[in-house]
mmCIF file of all heavy atoms in Angstrom:
data_model
loop_
_atom_site.group_PDB
_atom_site.id
_atom_site.type_symbol
_atom_site.label_atom_id
_atom_site.label_comp_id
_atom_site.label_asym_id
_atom_site.label_seq_id
_atom_site.Cartn_x
_atom_site.Cartn_y
_atom_site.Cartn_z
ATOM 1 N N ALA A 27 35.546 14.291 -24.679
ATOM 2 C CA ALA A 27 34.231 14.627 -25.244
ATOM 3 C C ALA A 27 33.132 13.785 -24.613
ATOM 4 O O ALA A 27 33.318 12.602 -24.335
ATOM 5 C CB ALA A 27 34.241 14.412 -26.752
ATOM 6 N N PHE A 28 31.985 14.428 -24.404
ATOM 7 C CA PHE A 28 30.833 13.765 -23.809
ATOM 8 C C PHE A 28 29.577 14.105 -24.597
ATOM 9 O O PHE A 28 29.452 15.203 -25.124
ATOM 10 C CB PHE A 28 30.641 14.209 -22.354
ATOM 11 C CG PHE A 28 31.753 13.766 -21.458
ATOM 12 C CD1 PHE A 28 32.922 14.498 -21.369
ATOM 13 C CD2 PHE A 28 31.636 12.601 -20.732
ATOM 14 C CE1 PHE A 28 33.958 14.083 -20.555
ATOM 15 C CE2 PHE A 28 32.667 12.176 -19.912
ATOM 16 C CZ PHE A 28 33.830 12.918 -19.828
ATOM 17 N N ARG A 29 28.678 13.154 -24.647
ATOM 18 C CA ARG A 29 27.345 13.358 -25.228
ATOM 19 C C ARG A 29 26.391 13.488 -24.048
ATOM 20 O O ARG A 29 26.319 12.594 -23.200
ATOM 21 C CB ARG A 29 26.972 12.159 -26.093
ATOM 22 C CG ARG A 29 25.562 12.183 -26.617
ATOM 23 C CD ARG A 29 25.282 10.867 -27.350
ATOM 24 N NE ARG A 29 23.887 10.702 -27.614
ATOM 25 C CZ ARG A 29 23.321 10.873 -28.799
ATOM 26 N NH1 ARG A 29 24.062 11.209 -29.832
ATOM 27 N NH2 ARG A 29 22.035 10.696 -28.958
ATOM 28 N N VAL A 30 25.668 14.594 -23.985
ATOM 29 C CA VAL A 30 24.716 14.851 -22.903
ATOM 30 C C VAL A 30 23.313 14.727 -23.470
ATOM 31 O O VAL A 30 22.998 15.330 -24.495
ATOM 32 C CB VAL A 30 24.936 16.255 -22.293
ATOM 33 C CG1 VAL A 30 23.930 16.523 -21.186
ATOM 34 C CG2 VAL A 30 26.364 16.403 -21.782
ATOM 35 N N GLU A 31 22.496 13.927 -22.814
ATOM 36 C CA GLU A 31 21.097 13.753 -23.201
ATOM 37 C C GLU A 31 20.232 14.239 -22.053
ATOM 38 O O GLU A 31 20.483 13.894 -20.897
ATOM 39 C CB GLU A 31 20.804 12.288 -23.495
ATOM 40 C CG GLU A 31 21.615 11.732 -24.646
ATOM 41 C CD GLU A 31 21.352 10.259 -24.894
ATOM 42 O OE1 GLU A 31 20.530 9.656 -24.166
ATOM 43 O OE2 GLU A 31 21.975 9.705 -25.813
ATOM 44 N N CYS A 32 19.221 15.032 -22.396
ATOM 45 C CA CYS A 32 18.358 15.554 -21.343
ATOM 46 C C CYS A 32 16.932 15.724 -21.864
ATOM 47 O O CYS A 32 16.700 15.775 -23.073
ATOM 48 C CB CYS A 32 18.893 16.881 -20.819
ATOM 49 S SG CYS A 32 19.172 18.128 -22.076
ATOM 50 N N ALA A 33 16.020 15.770 -20.931
ATOM 51 C CA ALA A 33 14.612 15.991 -21.265
ATOM 52 C C ALA A 33 13.972 16.793 -20.139
ATOM 53 O O ALA A 33 14.215 16.518 -18.957
ATOM 54 C CB ALA A 33 13.887 14.662 -21.448
ATOM 55 N N ASN A 34 13.207 17.781 -20.495
ATOM 56 C CA ASN A 34 12.441 18.597 -19.564
ATOM 57 C C ASN A 34 13.337 19.378 -18.602
ATOM 58 O O ASN A 34 13.013 19.544 -17.431
ATOM 59 C CB ASN A 34 11.418 17.745 -18.807
ATOM 60 C CG ASN A 34 10.263 18.569 -18.299
ATOM 61 O OD1 ASN A 34 10.049 19.699 -18.721
ATOM 62 N ND2 ASN A 34 9.510 18.009 -17.371
ATOM 63 N N VAL A 35 14.493 19.840 -19.115
ATOM 64 C CA VAL A 35 15.346 20.758 -18.367
ATOM 65 C C VAL A 35 15.656 21.952 -19.265
ATOM 66 O O VAL A 35 15.693 21.835 -20.484
ATOM 67 C CB VAL A 35 16.648 20.096 -17.867
ATOM 68 C CG1 VAL A 35 16.370 18.997 -16.875
ATOM 69 C CG2 VAL A 35 17.493 19.581 -19.003
ATOM 70 N N ASP A 36 15.851 23.116 -18.643
ATOM 71 C CA ASP A 36 16.122 24.347 -19.384
ATOM 72 C C ASP A 36 17.607 24.657 -19.496
ATOM 73 O O ASP A 36 18.048 25.303 -20.435
ATOM 74 C CB ASP A 36 15.454 25.545 -18.687
ATOM 75 C CG ASP A 36 13.965 25.390 -18.539
ATOM 76 O OD1 ASP A 36 13.332 24.829 -19.446
ATOM 77 O OD2 ASP A 36 13.429 25.836 -17.500
ATOM 78 N N ARG A 37 18.368 24.216 -18.486
ATOM 79 C CA ARG A 37 19.781 24.551 -18.427
ATOM 80 C C ARG A 37 20.548 23.400 -17.794
ATOM 81 O O ARG A 37 20.046 22.746 -16.879
ATOM 82 C CB ARG A 37 19.983 25.812 -17.578
ATOM 83 C CG ARG A 37 21.390 26.332 -17.548
ATOM 84 C CD ARG A 37 21.532 27.578 -16.660
ATOM 85 N NE ARG A 37 21.751 27.168 -15.278
ATOM 86 C CZ ARG A 37 20.986 27.518 -14.255
ATOM 87 N NH1 ARG A 37 19.939 28.292 -14.446
ATOM 88 N NH2 ARG A 37 21.261 27.110 -13.045
ATOM 89 N N VAL A 38 21.765 23.161 -18.282
ATOM 90 C CA VAL A 38 22.655 22.169 -17.685
ATOM 91 C C VAL A 38 23.953 22.857 -17.305
ATOM 92 O O VAL A 38 24.624 23.443 -18.157
ATOM 93 C CB VAL A 38 22.934 20.992 -18.646
ATOM 94 C CG1 VAL A 38 23.956 20.037 -18.038
ATOM 95 C CG2 VAL A 38 21.640 20.242 -18.975
ATOM 96 N N ASP A 39 24.286 22.811 -16.018
ATOM 97 C CA ASP A 39 25.550 23.343 -15.532
ATOM 98 C C ASP A 39 26.516 22.185 -15.363
ATOM 99 O O ASP A 39 26.154 21.130 -14.840
ATOM 100 C CB ASP A 39 25.367 24.057 -14.194
ATOM 101 C CG ASP A 39 24.589 25.359 -14.323
ATOM 102 O OD1 ASP A 39 24.324 25.791 -15.466
ATOM 103 O OD2 ASP A 39 24.246 25.943 -13.284
ATOM 104 N N ALA A 40 27.758 22.379 -15.811
ATOM 105 C CA ALA A 40 28.777 21.334 -15.742
ATOM 106 C C ALA A 40 29.902 21.781 -14.825
ATOM 107 O O ALA A 40 30.299 22.952 -14.830
ATOM 108 C CB ALA A 40 29.311 21.032 -17.133
ATOM 109 N N TYR A 41 30.404 20.840 -14.050
ATOM 110 C CA TYR A 41 31.510 21.078 -13.133
ATOM 111 C C TYR A 41 32.527 19.958 -13.288
ATOM 112 O O TYR A 41 32.154 18.809 -13.521
ATOM 113 C CB TYR A 41 31.031 21.071 -11.675
ATOM 114 C CG TYR A 41 29.972 22.088 -11.375
ATOM 115 C CD1 TYR A 41 28.635 21.821 -11.637
ATOM 116 C CD2 TYR A 41 30.303 23.321 -10.832
ATOM 117 C CE1 TYR A 41 27.651 22.759 -11.368
ATOM 118 C CE2 TYR A 41 29.326 24.264 -10.557
ATOM 119 C CZ TYR A 41 28.001 23.971 -10.826
ATOM 120 O OH TYR A 41 27.040 24.905 -10.558
ATOM 121 N N VAL A 42 33.791 20.289 -13.153
ATOM 122 C CA VAL A 42 34.829 19.277 -13.031
ATOM 123 C C VAL A 42 35.272 19.359 -11.583
ATOM 124 O O VAL A 42 35.804 20.385 -11.144
ATOM 125 C CB VAL A 42 35.998 19.533 -13.996
ATOM 126 C CG1 VAL A 42 37.132 18.547 -13.723
ATOM 127 C CG2 VAL A 42 35.528 19.405 -15.430
ATOM 128 N N GLY A 43 34.994 18.293 -10.836
ATOM 129 C CA GLY A 43 35.152 18.379 -9.390
ATOM 130 C C GLY A 43 34.162 19.410 -8.887
ATOM 131 O O GLY A 43 32.981 19.354 -9.205
ATOM 132 N N ASP A 44 34.638 20.393 -8.144
ATOM 133 C CA ASP A 44 33.763 21.463 -7.651
ATOM 134 C C ASP A 44 33.940 22.762 -8.428
ATOM 135 O O ASP A 44 33.380 23.783 -8.065
ATOM 136 C CB ASP A 44 34.032 21.714 -6.166
ATOM 137 C CG ASP A 44 33.548 20.570 -5.302
ATOM 138 O OD1 ASP A 44 32.524 19.957 -5.667
ATOM 139 O OD2 ASP A 44 34.184 20.283 -4.273
ATOM 140 N N ARG A 45 34.711 22.724 -9.510
ATOM 141 C CA ARG A 45 34.962 23.936 -10.285
ATOM 142 C C ARG A 45 33.998 24.036 -11.466
ATOM 143 O O ARG A 45 33.812 23.070 -12.206
ATOM 144 C CB ARG A 45 36.389 23.954 -10.802
ATOM 145 C CG ARG A 45 37.399 24.036 -9.682
ATOM 146 C CD ARG A 45 38.795 24.114 -10.261
ATOM 147 N NE ARG A 45 39.752 24.170 -9.195
ATOM 148 C CZ ARG A 45 40.355 25.285 -8.799
ATOM 149 N NH1 ARG A 45 40.074 26.420 -9.397
ATOM 150 N NH2 ARG A 45 41.218 25.267 -7.813
ATOM 151 N N PRO A 46 33.379 25.211 -11.659
ATOM 152 C CA PRO A 46 32.461 25.384 -12.788
ATOM 153 C C PRO A 46 33.181 25.228 -14.117
ATOM 154 O O PRO A 46 34.307 25.696 -14.287
ATOM 155 C CB PRO A 46 31.952 26.817 -12.621
ATOM 156 C CG PRO A 46 32.354 27.253 -11.267
ATOM 157 C CD PRO A 46 33.499 26.406 -10.835
ATOM 158 N N LEU A 47 32.543 24.544 -15.039
ATOM 159 C CA LEU A 47 33.092 24.347 -16.381
ATOM 160 C C LEU A 47 32.262 25.107 -17.413
ATOM 161 O O LEU A 47 32.794 25.845 -18.223
ATOM 162 C CB LEU A 47 33.131 22.862 -16.725
ATOM 163 C CG LEU A 47 33.616 22.491 -18.111
ATOM 164 C CD1 LEU A 47 35.083 22.854 -18.269
ATOM 165 C CD2 LEU A 47 33.399 21.005 -18.363
ATOM 166 N N SER A 48 30.936 24.913 -17.386
ATOM 167 C CA SER A 48 30.080 25.579 -18.366
ATOM 168 C C SER A 48 28.639 25.584 -17.886
ATOM 169 O O SER A 48 28.268 24.860 -16.973
ATOM 170 C CB SER A 48 30.164 24.874 -19.724
ATOM 171 O OG SER A 48 29.617 23.580 -19.626
ATOM 172 N N SER A 49 27.857 26.430 -18.531
ATOM 173 C CA SER A 49 26.420 26.476 -18.318
ATOM 174 C C SER A 49 25.782 26.521 -19.703
ATOM 175 O O SER A 49 26.066 27.430 -20.490
ATOM 176 C CB SER A 49 26.038 27.708 -17.501
ATOM 177 O OG SER A 49 24.659 27.695 -17.222
ATOM 178 N N THR A 50 24.962 25.530 -20.015
ATOM 179 C CA THR A 50 24.386 25.403 -21.348
ATOM 180 C C THR A 50 22.879 25.588 -21.294
ATOM 181 O O THR A 50 22.195 24.874 -20.547
ATOM 182 C CB THR A 50 24.705 24.015 -21.941
ATOM 183 O OG1 THR A 50 26.119 23.843 -21.974
ATOM 184 C CG2 THR A 50 24.125 23.853 -23.333
ATOM 185 N N THR A 51 22.368 26.539 -22.049
ATOM 186 C CA THR A 51 20.924 26.670 -22.211
ATOM 187 C C THR A 51 20.487 25.571 -23.170
ATOM 188 O O THR A 51 20.997 25.480 -24.291
ATOM 189 C CB THR A 51 20.558 28.052 -22.766
ATOM 190 O OG1 THR A 51 21.022 29.046 -21.848
ATOM 191 C CG2 THR A 51 19.057 28.177 -22.953
ATOM 192 N N VAL A 52 19.576 24.748 -22.746
ATOM 193 C CA VAL A 52 19.180 23.577 -23.523
ATOM 194 C C VAL A 52 18.221 23.995 -24.633
ATOM 195 O O VAL A 52 17.161 24.562 -24.365
ATOM 196 C CB VAL A 52 18.532 22.503 -22.614
ATOM 197 C CG1 VAL A 52 18.015 21.340 -23.432
ATOM 198 C CG2 VAL A 52 19.530 22.030 -21.572
ATOM 199 N N THR A 53 18.612 23.715 -25.870
ATOM 200 C CA THR A 53 17.750 23.970 -27.020
ATOM 201 C C THR A 53 17.417 22.682 -27.759
ATOM 202 O O THR A 53 16.538 22.661 -28.597
ATOM 203 C CB THR A 53 18.415 24.965 -28.001
ATOM 204 O OG1 THR A 53 19.674 24.436 -28.413
ATOM 205 C CG2 THR A 53 18.618 26.319 -27.334
#
Side-chain angles (χ1 to χ4, degrees):
F28 294 83
R29 173 185 167 104
V30 179
E31 298 178 0
C32 54
N34 204 15
V35 296
D36 302 324
R37 185 181 86 237
V38 175
D39 290 352
Y41 302 84
V42 173
D44 290 326
R45 295 183 181 258
L47 177 66
S48 66
S49 184
T50 302
T51 300
V52 175
T53 57

